[in-house]
Amino acid sequence: MDQGRPFQYDEQRLVCDGVDIAGLADSFGTPLYVYSAKQISERAGLFQNAFAGTPHTVCYAVKANSSLAILKMLAAQGCGFDIVSGGELARVLKAGGPEVASRVVFSGVGKIAGEMDAALAADILQFNVESEPELELLASRAAALGKKARIALRVNPDVSAETHPYISTGLSAHKFGIGIQLARAVYARAAQFPSIETTGVSVHIGSQIRQVEPFAEALEKTLNLVRELRADGHNIRNVDAGGGLGIEYGDKSFDAAQQVQKYAAALQSALGDMDVHLLLEPGRFLVGQAGALVTRVLYRKANGDKKFTIVDAAMNDLIRPALYQAHHEIVPVVRDEAVATEEADIVGPVCESGDFFARSRALQQTEQGDLIAILDAGAYGLSLSSNYNTRVRPAEVLIEDGKARLIRRRETYDELFAPEIF
């Protein structure tokens, strides 16, 4: 692991910002999510510093990791938020207070009336509208509440991003946004609603994109549209460039600061001297490498030549390997160079063949009761988790200033059963 990561070895024991991981597992149990507050804050700072010369707001993509403690920390650092549901709106208001609403953008293709009403009442910065029927509903809800909804249309620039097909969003074949060639007509229609104010244009082409060129291409197309819209009389002030800047899972040489600088340079070159307020929506980049899932070995077994290491975490705790065929580096919590390496599948106890974290992975041979850590798990870990097989979700611990703080306790069965009627 490189020196820029929070998870390192200290005398063969894995630590997070100096805090012993094995001790955390003993104190809080496993499976356990552990996060570095320091790295999350530093990653947000990379964006804020790289764009310091450009009017901008960093709107953290809440879906990546919606922990209230993390949201509160980012709000205190001046970040805004990109939300995709009424529940995420409630989360950011709970974490940051009503004043944070002025830094909230509401994205998503399926907003419902109640969610719109809550966002209008909170007076959020902007709705990123993704279809004409949504525009009509928002206009009617704003009129009924005596409010004015500030909107951007999310345009689809038909730009290809080299990423997993499930997280690519910028092509005409995807469900997201409005075709950029149709946008001027939809803006003209939006301007006819007294309850709508057209304030921005939004674009987002996907997630886990590791080259900066697609971002620049999408922004250039978006800025050409902004020029046309301003000529049509629309007071376009905000350009939402979306998020999606990727990380390198398991790449020890990954330089986050350099990647953000490249990203900023590409967007700023596209912007030129154009007078707009830039909205940025990083998610995974801020939290992905700040987190790890710590799990304990339950059993070892072999089916012929095939070896399995069965751990107490499962696909309901971290579904990325099953859903996206995602690679996560997996390391022993206590390293012993005298112990041989073996190749095994790292699997969980859920009754699905897809319940695995790695296939045929070379790892220090483990014994029952040993701890291993699944790294780079801070994004789309707990936020995508479930209670499948009636499993309680993991606890979460945040490392701040060299101390561990429990930010989410492990669920209980009574809490799982509470909504049910029988």
Side-chain angles (χ1 to χ4, degrees):
M1 288 160 285
D2 72 288
Q3 295 305 309
R5 304 286 182 87
F7 294 90
Q8 302 287 337
Y9 283 104
D10 182 2
E11 297 184 351
Q12 310 305 315
R13 295 177 69 87
L14 191 67
V15 299
C16 176
D17 293 338
V19 177
D20 184 66
I21 296 297
L24 295 177
D26 290 341
S27 297
F28 301 105
T30 56
L32 177 70
Y33 275 103
V34 179
Y35 308 114
S36 164
K38 178 182 177 184
Q39 185 170 94
I40 295 170
S41 178
E42 287 177 350
R43 288 285 175 94
L46 290 179
F47 278 85
Q48 291 164 332
N49 293 335
F51 288 92
T54 303
H56 75 281
T57 302
V58 175
C59 296
Y60 168 67
V62 175
K63 61 182 176 291
N65 185 319
S66 58
S67 164
L68 289 173
I70 291 173
L71 300 182
K72 182 177 181 180
M73 180 177 68
L74 290 171
Q77 198 168 335
C79 290
F81 299 97
D82 166 50
I83 64 168
V84 293
S85 72
E88 288 189 350
L89 173 63
R91 275 189 174 272
V92 299
L93 295 177
K94 179 79 171 177
E99 62 274 12
V100 82
S102 65
R103 307 196 298 270
V104 169
V105 294
F106 194 166
S107 305
V109 301
K111 306 177 190 74
I112 62 175
E115 294 174 323
M116 292 176 177
D117 291 354
L120 287 164
D123 196 25
I124 66 167
L125 172 63
Q126 182 173 282
F127 291 84
N128 289 343
V129 171
E130 302 213 22
S131 68
E132 291 188 68
E134 179 191 332
L135 173 64
E136 294 170 1
L137 179 60
L138 179 60
S140 69
R141 296 314 307 158
L145 296 172
K147 301 281 187 179
K148 197 149 192 170
R150 293 177 289 273
I151 73 147
L153 292 186
R154 176 174 172 177
V155 297
N156 190 319
D158 207 24
V159 170
S160 177
E162 294 183 6
T163 187
H164 192 282
Y166 288 3
I167 51 177
S168 178
T169 63
L171 295 175
S172 57
H174 299 139
K175 70 178 181 179
F176 299 96
I178 293 170
I180 197 165
Q181 72 279 5
L182 306 174
R184 287 179 71 185
V186 181
Y187 271 98
R189 186 175 182 204
Q192 296 174 357
F193 293 107
S195 57
I196 294 292
E197 182 183 2
T198 54
T199 59
V201 180
S202 170
V203 63
H204 178 68
I205 58 173
S207 181
Q208 186 51 12
I209 302 167
R210 285 161 289 187
Q211 302 298 320
V212 300
E213 291 79 9
F215 296 112
E217 181 184 352
L219 184 58
E220 286 172 359
K221 289 186 175 183
T222 303
L223 293 173
N224 287 335
L225 174 62
V226 170
R227 294 182 184 96
E228 293 174 345
L229 293 173
R230 285 178 170 177
D232 291 343
H234 300 280
N235 184 17
I236 303 298
R237 307 185 292 277
N238 301 325
V239 171
D240 188 337
L245 185 62
I247 62 175
E248 294 292 343
Y249 287 90
D251 183 350
K252 301 176 180 61
S253 65
F254 178 64
D255 189 326
Q258 184 181 73
Q259 186 73 345
V260 174
Q261 287 294 337
K262 288 180 180 178
Y263 175 71
L267 294 193
Q268 288 163 339
S269 176
L271 278 173
D273 59 359
M274 195 163 186
D275 180 22
V276 295
H277 188 96
L278 192 62
L279 303 177
L280 306 160
E281 299 173 356
R284 182 196 317 267
F285 202 93
L286 301 194
V287 297
Q289 291 169 329
L293 177 60
V294 183
T295 180
R296 194 176 295 275
V297 175
L298 297 175
Y299 308 106
R300 289 161 41 82
K301 65 179 287 187
N303 286 340
D305 293 334
K306 187 70 172 177
K307 295 179 180 179
F308 297 90
T309 299
I310 303 167
V311 298
D312 63 2
M315 64 185 294
N316 73 292
D317 304 311
L318 178 63
I319 199 172
R320 294 190 71 255
L323 184 61
Y324 302 126
Q325 299 80 50
H327 174 92
H328 287 264
E329 188 176 359
I330 300 175
V331 299
V333 169
V334 179
R335 187 168 60 180
D336 187 343
E337 294 176 355
V339 175
T341 297
E342 72 172 359
E343 192 174 279
D345 286 11
I346 314 299
V347 303
V350 159
C351 291
E352 297 282 350
S353 295
D355 181 26
F356 66 92
F357 297 113
R359 300 285 201 195
S360 301
R361 183 70 61 87
L363 184 67
Q364 174 184 304
Q365 185 173 310
T366 59
E367 300 297 337
Q368 193 169 336
D370 286 352
L371 294 166
I372 62 174
I374 304 168
L375 302 182
D376 301 336
Y380 304 102
L382 198 75
S383 65
L384 276 173
S385 66
S386 74
N387 296 118
Y388 186 48
N389 284 190
T390 310
R391 288 172 50 86
V392 296
R393 287 176 291 180
E396 294 177 289
V397 168
L398 186 66
I399 308 301
E400 300 171 299
D401 300 321
K403 296 181 180 178
R405 178 165 70 94
L406 183 67
I407 59 172
R408 180 190 175 100
R409 60 175 173 75
R410 201 173 308 278
E411 293 168 322
T412 67
Y413 292 136
D414 284 344
E415 288 169 334
L416 264 59
F417 305 155
E420 299 187 43
I421 300 168
F422 64 101

